[in-house]
């Protein structure tokens, strides 16, 4: 499964992401979603990561986030997290957003998941007219600290649920694209068996 290969048509993209075609066209043309795909002539094709990005935009807008903010955050930042999740690499999977400014910044804020620092509001980090704040939440993050940052209220969503939705819907449409349930069980149990298998000691003794 090549998660970056843009081989899926628009009809598959919107069906998997749970987005109406007319809504997707509006987001694409008016809000600059997937701008790189606008440069190609003829039919547009999209990747599994693109499907996750679009699904994230659907989820965030359904929970009150402005389209511009949702598109910017999903396509610029969450795309990296989705790639890591789909490739089984460590990444932050809990993300939160709130409308307006956080308690730790000026008009907008973004907390970098690697450094933990609030990014500046410079144009290369954040749109000047952004109306929301975002945070990536680590597994050991203190809930009280997150709520304090968000001035008491925040919407949190799990990127694993987004990728799970995309893979499930894609498998229903194109079973050959995604690993089967049997393949998944074989991989999972094979990994567990490898982890539990006794390892030889430093002298090479298998006992």
């Amino acid at each position: 499964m090549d998660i970056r290969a843009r081989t899926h048509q628009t009809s598959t993209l919107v069906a998997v992401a749970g987005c109406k075609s007319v809504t997707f066209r509006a987001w694409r043309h008016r809000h600059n979603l997937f701008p790189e795909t606008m440069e190609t002539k003829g039919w547009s094709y999209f990747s599994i990561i693109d499907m996750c990005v679009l699904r994230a935009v659907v989820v965030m807008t359904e929970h009150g986030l402005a389209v511009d903010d949702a598109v910017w955050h999903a396509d610029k930042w969450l795309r990296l997290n989705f790639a890591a999740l789909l490739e089984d690499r460590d990444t932050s999977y809990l993300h939160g957003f709130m409308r307006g400014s956080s308690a730790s910044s000026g008009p907008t804020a973004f907390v970098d998941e690697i450094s933990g620092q609030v990014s500046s509001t410079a144009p290369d980090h954040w749109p000047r007219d952004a109306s929301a704040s975002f945070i990536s939440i680590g597994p050991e993050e203190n809930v009280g600290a997150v709520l304090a940052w968000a001035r008491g209220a925040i919407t949190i969503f799990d990127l694993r649920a987004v990728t799970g939705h995309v893979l499930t819907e894609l498998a229903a449409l194109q079973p050959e694209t995604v690993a089967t349930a049997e393949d998944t069980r074989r991989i999972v149990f094979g990994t567990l068996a490898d982890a539990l298998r006794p390892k030889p000691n430093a002298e090479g003794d298998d006992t």
Side-chain angles (χ1 to χ4, degrees):
M1 180 177 68
D2 189 342
I3 62 173
R4 293 178 174 81
R6 282 185 160 140
T7 57
H8 304 278
Q9 295 183 346
T10 303
S11 57
T12 302
L13 170 75
V14 296
V16 167
C19 181
K20 294 180 179 179
S21 296
V22 64
T23 301
F24 171 67
R25 288 195 297 270
W27 289 351
R28 192 179 180 202
H29 293 283
R30 300 176 189 171
H31 302 279
N32 206 32
L33 178 61
F34 306 138
E36 64 280 2
T37 65
M38 300 289 286
E39 301 172 0
T40 59
K41 296 181 179 180
W43 296 103
S44 295
Y45 292 90
F46 302 90
S47 68
I48 294 176
I49 295 179
D50 292 333
M51 296 176 189
C52 292
V53 169
L54 179 56
R55 178 61 186 169
V57 175
V58 170
V59 170
M60 288 189 285
T61 55
E62 285 180 346
H63 284 78
L65 195 62
V67 177
D68 279 341
D69 293 332
V71 166
W72 181 86
H73 186 55
D75 208 6
K76 183 175 178 63
W77 293 101
L78 298 186
R79 174 176 293 275
L80 304 176
N81 297 102
F82 286 132
L85 284 172
L86 291 166
E87 293 173 339
D88 199 25
R89 293 185 281 114
D90 288 338
T91 188
S92 298
Y93 52 82
L94 290 179
H95 284 249
F97 65 85
M98 57 173 286
R99 298 172 67 181
S101 63
S102 71
S104 59
S105 70
T108 58
F110 178 75
V111 179
D112 183 77
E113 67 182 65
I114 297 176
S115 67
Q117 300 298 312
V118 176
S119 299
S120 71
T121 57
D124 59 333
H125 291 297
W126 193 270
R128 289 183 180 276
D129 58 350
S131 58
S133 302
F134 300 87
I135 187 172
S136 58
I137 305 169
E140 298 180 358
E141 193 77 46
N142 181 279
V143 175
V146 173
L147 288 174
W149 174 88
R151 302 182 187 274
I154 188 171
T155 300
I156 297 175
F157 65 108
D158 191 333
L159 301 190
R160 298 172 301 180
V162 174
T163 57
H165 173 96
V166 166
L167 294 179
T168 299
E169 295 299 318
L170 184 59
L173 286 175
Q174 301 177 356
E176 72 282 359
T177 304
V178 183
T180 65
E182 181 59 33
D183 289 336
T184 302
R185 283 193 293 270
R186 177 173 50 79
I187 293 170
V188 170
F189 286 116
T191 302
L192 288 173
D194 288 340
L196 295 174
R197 186 174 295 115
K199 301 295 188 299
N201 59 28
E203 287 73 28
D205 184 2
D206 292 334
T207 58

